[in-house]
Amino acid sequence: MESPEPTHREINSMKFLLSNDYLALLTRTFVGLLFLVVSLEKIVEPAAFAQSIANYKIISPPLTTVLATILPWLELLCGFGVLFGIFRRGSSLLLSGMLIVFTAGVISALWRGLDIACGCFTQDPTVGKIGWMKVVQNVTLLALTVFLYYSSSVKFSIEHHLRTRSSE
Amino acid sequence: MSRLRTALREAGMLLLAATALGFIYTAAMEKGLFASRQPADTLSLPSSRNAPVMISRDQAKAYFDGGAALFIDSRHEFDYKLGHIKGAINLPVNEYNLKMGALVQLPREKLIVIYCDGADCNSSIELSARLFADGFLNVKIFFGGWDEWKAQNLPIEKSTR
């Protein structure tokens, strides 16, 4: 007799996961550092990143340059945010949004048979060619950022620390 | 859901900060939208250091002995067939577009020696200018040409190439 509603046990395990400090810290460190590190190369070489974006043939210059100007800094700030626990919800929301757009871009490029580099981790056009592995990577990362959005753990979170401080 | 509202508010601020930082950084470092434009022609012009130079017969002979030079006879095919410097190919200047395909594979630093009849012939100079314009940076003009070469009984051949 299976009921379509989640059982008590299922809800509890989900709540457990979402409130688990250890899981949250692990995920925040991984996701935060990842986006922080990959953003650096894009920040110092916006022209190369603009070319990586243009290769998808979805957005045309000069819009690619505008994106290449803003996006890396967004990755940097959001990576910082989830890592240190500042603007956590906004950071994880934006990272999730970016990952959805990136994944859609990769799938679209694969569909059209483009043989291009992802431009995710490096701007070298010969490295990191798109493929279904890339899609799997992005979706996994998306699962992590969505988890962070709903995570209720506040351990080692600067904004929580500041909030509880001011209420004393 | 106040969580969503908080998230959207924070996201907006992050977006604003990223935009400001992005534009300030690229403007200060003159990258991206603010990169200074290099005039395209100054980057592709070969420097005049590599312009074709005239060489003497002795120098031409030295290059000939060295074996690395490509000798080009710029006279008409008729004269070329009657006799040319051994190993030279024929590329009359007025048939440049037609026959320069043979040179396309050559590296631009290839040593090339052009000659024609001699003192009363300018086709070697003309051809050298065409080759230089096409990016060949190691072109020599043996201005003494066929006359001087033959006068010293230096290696020649008559068969066509």
Side-chain angles (χ1 to χ4, degrees), chain B residues 17-33:
Chain B
T19 308
L21 284 167
F23 278 95
I24 292 172
Y25 177 82
T26 53
M29 307 291 288
E30 289 188 348
K31 293 182 193 258
L33 289 168

Side-chain angles (χ1 to χ4, degrees), chain A:
Chain A
M1 274 187 306
E2 303 252 326
S3 74
E5 313 248 318
T7 62
H8 264 279
R9 189 172 286 158
E10 285 165 2
I11 295 179
N12 282 340
S13 41
M14 214 163 60
K15 276 200 183 139
F16 172 72
L17 281 177
L18 286 179
S19 61
N20 188 295
D21 287 340
Y22 180 66
L23 213 56
L25 278 173
L26 209 64
T27 313
R28 279 168 55 192
T29 311
F30 177 70
V31 173
L33 278 179
L34 182 76
F35 276 97
L36 218 113
V37 169
V38 300
S39 72
L40 294 176
E41 187 188 347
K42 300 171 195 171
I43 286 176
V44 295
E45 291 292 343
F49 186 44
Q51 184 59 52
S52 296
I53 301 175
N55 288 342
Y56 283 82
K57 304 231 185 296
I58 299 175
I59 303 185
S60 53
L63 199 55
T64 52
T65 313
V66 175
L67 271 179
T69 306
I70 302 175
L71 214 61
W73 285 95
L74 205 57
E75 286 182 338
L76 182 78
L77 293 177
C78 292
F80 206 76
V82 303
L83 188 61
F84 292 102
I86 312 167
F87 283 6
R88 277 193 312 136
R89 302 263 183 249
S91 299
S92 46
L93 181 68
L94 280 171
L95 288 178
S96 304
M98 283 190 263
L99 283 167
I100 292 175
V101 172
F102 295 163
T103 311
V106 172
I107 293 177
S108 158
L110 283 174
W111 187 264
R112 286 173 283 145
L114 296 179
D115 177 29
I116 56 176
C118 163
C120 312
F121 302 119
T122 171
Q123 304 316 306
D124 186 336
T126 59
V127 175
K129 296 284 185 130
I130 58 170
W132 291 106
M133 266 321 286
K134 264 300 158 211
V135 180
V136 171
Q137 278 176 21
N138 279 0
V139 172
T140 310
L141 215 49
L142 180 63
L144 293 179
T145 56
V146 170
F147 166 73
L148 286 179
Y149 178 80
Y150 287 106
S151 162
S152 50
S153 158
V154 290
K155 191 122 187 169
F156 295 129
S157 155
I158 293 185
E159 68 185 357
H160 176 79
H161 188 68
L162 292 173
R163 228 179 288 138
T164 47
R165 265 277 199 86
S166 60
S167 62
E168 279 165 15

Side-chain angles (χ1 to χ4, degrees), chain B residues 1-14:
Chain B
M1 254 197 295
S2 70
R3 174 164 41 209
L4 185 59
R5 241 180 333 165
T6 310
L8 286 172
R9 188 167 41 87
E10 292 175 353
M13 289 197 269
L14 287 165

